[in-house]
Amino acid sequence: MSFTPFHIAIDGPEAAGKGTVSKLSAEKLGFLYVDTGAMYRMTAYLGHTTGVAYEDETGLAELIRKSKMELRNPTPEEKDGRLITVLLNGDDVSWQIRTPEIGQGSSKVAVHPLVRKELVIKQQEIAAHQNVVMEGRDITFRVLPDAQLKIFLTASDVVRAQRRFQQQQTKGVSTTLEEVYQNLLERDKRDRERSTDPLHIVPDAWVLDTSELAIEDVVDLIVAKVKAMRHE
């Protein structure tokens, strides 16, 4: 009997908790966690380090085609707070892509249709033969439109800004809550208004608002739903 992979597709805005929830859900289910946002950050990092402008759609798409992008669960030696290990052309760039500058750059490169097209191909290849929890902003309708479980994970603007600010503080990044809040609103606007695959809720998505829920509670809800769907 042929193996049919089980796909969990999670979309949602910046700082809704997608990364942590997806990572923990994948661990409990024994699935691979795929952070597609890391691939857009890799693209921005590629542009930044090679001198290709964020506005150069063709140049960025060519960089993606020529590059080897790998995502894997961290090894015991790599457990330094990262959710996933990110390898770009064999180099570990897990932390280099997490700066505020690269974060802003990732939303700028994500508006380009050619960039999105190239990355979707890579994302679908990752999921083709394995169970995955994949999160991003176009997973439920572009990358994994046939996923067995589609989730839109969200939270209020204020809660999301507070979460991102706390993350930045933990990393020693010098910023203010107001700056984080304004950057988040700008990111949301770009995500909603981009011409290709704007962030939206698909009709068959399960909408989960995490504003007043602990991470563990959200994970337990998802894991229970998957186990019920798989009759475990």
Side-chain angles (χ1 to χ4, degrees):
M1 194 167 77
S2 62
F3 169 72
T4 301
F6 194 98
H7 292 161
I8 304 172
I10 302 181
D11 285 333
E14 181 86 352
K18 297 191 303 295
T20 305
V21 166
S22 298
K23 171 65 174 174
L24 293 175
S25 298
E27 284 182 355
K28 284 199 169 186
L29 291 164
F31 288 14
L32 174 69
Y33 161 56
V34 182
D35 172 13
T36 62
M39 301 174 80
Y40 287 94
R41 286 176 177 265
M42 276 194 270
T43 303
Y45 182 76
L46 277 168
H48 179 73
T49 54
T50 60
V52 176
Y54 294 152
E55 295 74 29
D56 185 353
E57 179 176 5
T58 305
L60 291 169
E62 186 62 22
L63 281 176
I64 296 168
R65 274 193 293 272
K66 290 180 177 178
S67 298
K68 186 177 183 183
M69 296 180 169
E70 298 173 90
L71 303 172
R72 60 173 166 76
N73 294 325
T75 63
E77 296 77 26
E78 294 168 347
K79 298 214 168 171
D80 52 7
R82 69 183 66 183
L83 293 176
I84 192 166
T85 293
V86 180
L87 301 173
L88 181 59
N89 297 320
D91 295 325
D92 186 342
V93 296
S94 302
W95 288 116
Q96 288 93 318
I97 66 167
R98 299 296 176 182
T99 66
E101 180 183 9
I102 297 301
Q104 287 295 306
S106 70
S107 69
K108 292 175 182 176
V109 304
V111 303
H112 301 310
L114 286 179
V115 166
R116 302 191 70 82
K117 180 181 177 183
E118 293 298 329
L119 289 180
V120 166
I121 292 170
K122 290 183 180 290
Q123 292 154 11
Q124 290 174 334
E125 287 173 351
I126 291 172
H129 304 293
Q130 56 191 325
N131 298 330
V132 299
V133 180
M134 187 178 290
E135 54 102 346
R137 287 172 175 77
D138 63 350
I139 314 305
T140 59
F141 55 91
R142 178 61 58 205
V143 185
L144 300 176
D146 297 321
Q148 289 91 334
L149 178 59
K150 300 176 184 179
I151 300 170
F152 190 90
L153 204 67
T154 189
S156 72
D157 296 349
V158 173
V159 168
R160 291 189 292 121
Q162 289 171 337
R163 287 175 179 169
R164 183 47 46 91
F165 178 66
Q166 288 170 352
Q167 286 177 346
Q168 302 290 26
Q169 293 289 96
T170 303
K171 296 175 187 174
V173 176
S174 178
T175 187
T176 66
L177 179 57
E178 180 60 26
E179 286 173 337
V180 171
Y181 182 68
Q182 292 303 323
N183 284 339
L184 184 137
L185 293 182
E186 289 172 16
R187 178 71 185 263
D188 286 352
K189 189 172 186 291
R190 278 198 294 269
D191 287 338
R192 287 193 306 266
E193 296 180 357
R194 62 174 177 248
S195 59
T196 302
D197 296 335
L199 178 66
H200 66 277
I201 304 174
V202 296
D204 55 342
W206 177 25
V207 180
L208 261 175
D209 189 319
T210 67
S211 300
E212 298 180 7
L213 290 173
I215 291 294
E216 296 78 11
D217 295 332
V218 179
V219 171
D220 287 344
L221 285 170
I222 293 172
V223 171
K225 192 171 187 73
V226 172
K227 287 187 174 181
M229 292 175 71
R230 301 180 81 195
H231 307 293
E232 292 182 0

